[in-house]
Amino acid sequence: MPTYVLEGGSSATLPAKPLTLRVQGVGQADIRLEARQHGVPDAEAMSPMPGMLVLPRVTAPVEVRVIPARDRTFPSGTVVALSAGIEVHRDADPERAVMQGIDLSGLAERELLRIEPVSGQLRLTALGVIVDAPLPPLAAKARDLAREILGVERVPAAEASNLILRVDGSASMRKLVADGSVGAALEVLVGISRVTSADHEVTAEVGSPNPVPIRSDSIADLPRAVQDALTAAPLLTGFRSADHVRGVGRTTLCVISDSVPADLPTDRPVALAVIATPSAREVLTARAPAATGWITVAEWGAHSAYAMLSGDDNALRLAVHGVLRGIVPVSSPLADRLAGPA
């Protein structure tokens, strides 16, 4: 029997017979499929077991979504496939449609499929298909946390923002460049951008004192490109965070530094990522804006923020939460999810 692959919002047509939907992948026992008709649960839908849904008949459009069976959100690394097939007794190869590589990490729910009767058949259409580019591990964790905090896979298109990642290139950053802490901060911002920027532009600059654009082949390679540029060039004195901020449409300046710059612009959205030890943070907090993500480094010994953030989900959540407060528009309903503590 044929198998139809649903990609990028495509559709497939199956016979108008009882339809069986199954989720397969890591943690499938903790996933529940739900069918809704006109915004309410479909009374005829049956769930014989976790990750399985049976629709005996479809007489009106039905949306199928996936939700966690136990936790509030899907854990990081939850990637599944969905199959919808006409399963006839003793038929080992049913006619079916499949969706593959569905990343649910950090989400509270996700609509997957619309099923509607058309001319005596069933038309199945993939919903909300987003293909994520591969990211470095810390960036992927930051992306998943941003989705969990906001409760969406991506912010609405009208609220998406271009991002300018401006890195302090002054001499005080030398140690943080050498141990990879600046690269870690950039990975956090790159991960967040996959949720807040949709298809908008994300660029990086090194400022010491004037901003110099950094070129990169892909968003995943951007942290490494900036790290290489900082390593190759001498770190100078002075850093002007507010100079020459350009952008078409809504543009957010994301500043990465080891302190709170005195000249943060006030005429556009700004998010600040401060790389600091816990004791330094106590001193800096009094003059830091609310939209500050704290990138924690150790007081002594191994100072790498990469190791600290990779091993401490609470520290990473604090960083992501603070940066999101600077990127998400204050008028957005999503801003309510950022009003309290991380």
Side-chain angles (χ1 to χ4, degrees):
M1 291 290 184
T3 295
Y4 308 97
V5 178
L6 301 180
E7 296 179 329
S10 61
S11 298
T13 301
L14 296 180
K17 296 180 180 181
L19 195 62
T20 301
L21 298 98
R22 301 177 188 271
V23 169
Q24 295 179 320
V26 177
Q28 66 187 64
D30 296 324
I31 295 174
R32 186 160 64 89
L33 288 168
E34 182 178 80
R36 299 182 74 84
Q37 218 179 68
H38 306 300
V40 298
D42 184 347
E44 293 192 15
M46 299 180 290
S47 297
M49 64 181 67
M52 180 178 177
L53 183 71
V54 177
L55 301 176
R57 59 177 182 167
V58 177
T59 57
V62 172
E63 282 77 40
V64 176
R65 65 176 182 169
V66 61
I67 58 179
R70 298 189 183 96
D71 298 329
R72 189 171 61 91
T73 58
F74 292 108
S76 180
T78 304
V79 181
V80 301
L82 174 74
S83 67
I86 308 299
E87 298 188 2
V88 180
H89 184 56
R90 294 180 180 176
D91 186 353
D93 185 22
E95 186 173 357
R96 61 179 183 161
V98 298
M99 294 175 64
Q100 299 174 327
I102 306 166
D103 193 339
L104 304 175
S105 304
L107 300 182
E109 63 177 59
R110 177 172 169 177
E111 287 192 339
L112 298 179
L113 200 63
R114 177 182 296 111
I115 305 168
E116 49 196 335
V118 177
S119 302
Q121 294 183 304
L122 298 179
R123 184 168 63 200
L124 285 66
T125 304
L127 299 176
V129 178
I130 294 175
V131 179
D132 282 317
L135 293 175
L138 185 59
K141 289 184 70 173
R143 176 201 61 198
D144 296 347
L145 266 176
R147 288 174 171 171
E148 178 183 331
I149 291 169
L150 296 177
V152 296
E153 192 166 13
R154 283 185 177 177
V155 302
E159 299 173 7
S161 176
N162 300 307
L163 297 186
I164 299 174
L165 313 183
R166 182 168 291 176
V167 184
D168 183 348
S170 60
S172 66
M173 297 281 283
R174 187 178 304 276
K175 179 185 288 187
L176 300 173
V177 170
D179 70 11
S181 293
V182 171
L186 283 160
E187 281 202 28
V188 171
L189 289 168
V190 162
I192 291 171
S193 76
R194 300 304 80 204
V195 181
T196 63
S197 298
D199 297 321
H200 287 58
E201 189 175 32
V202 179
T203 58
E205 303 172 344
V206 173
S208 56
N210 298 315
V212 177
I214 304 300
R215 297 189 179 277
S216 173
D217 293 334
S218 69
I219 187 69
D221 292 334
L222 195 58
R224 172 54 60 185
V226 175
Q227 181 83 11
D228 290 346
L230 287 165
T231 302
L235 300 183
L236 307 175
T237 57
F239 171 56
R240 292 198 288 268
S241 69
D243 283 2
H244 309 294
V245 181
R246 301 181 181 90
V248 178
R250 188 174 194 277
T251 299
T252 301
L253 177 65
C254 300
V255 176
I256 300 173
S257 181
D258 61 345
S259 187
V260 179
D263 68 336
L264 289 173
T266 57
D267 61 340
R268 67 174 57 250
V270 177
L272 178 61
V274 179
I275 307 172
T277 64
S279 60
R281 178 186 163 195
E282 290 182 10
V283 175
L284 295 170
T285 296
R287 56 192 179 92
T292 299
W294 297 98
I295 309 295
T296 305
V297 293
E299 297 280 1
W300 58 81
H303 287 270
S304 168
Y306 198 100
M308 297 283 288
L309 295 178
S310 297
D312 187 341
D313 287 346
N314 288 331
L316 182 57
R317 179 181 291 273
L318 183 70
V320 171
H321 187 274
V323 171
L324 284 173
R325 293 185 72 174
I327 299 176
V328 174
V330 294
S331 58
S332 168
L334 296 176
D336 294 340
R337 301 179 69 99
L338 302 168

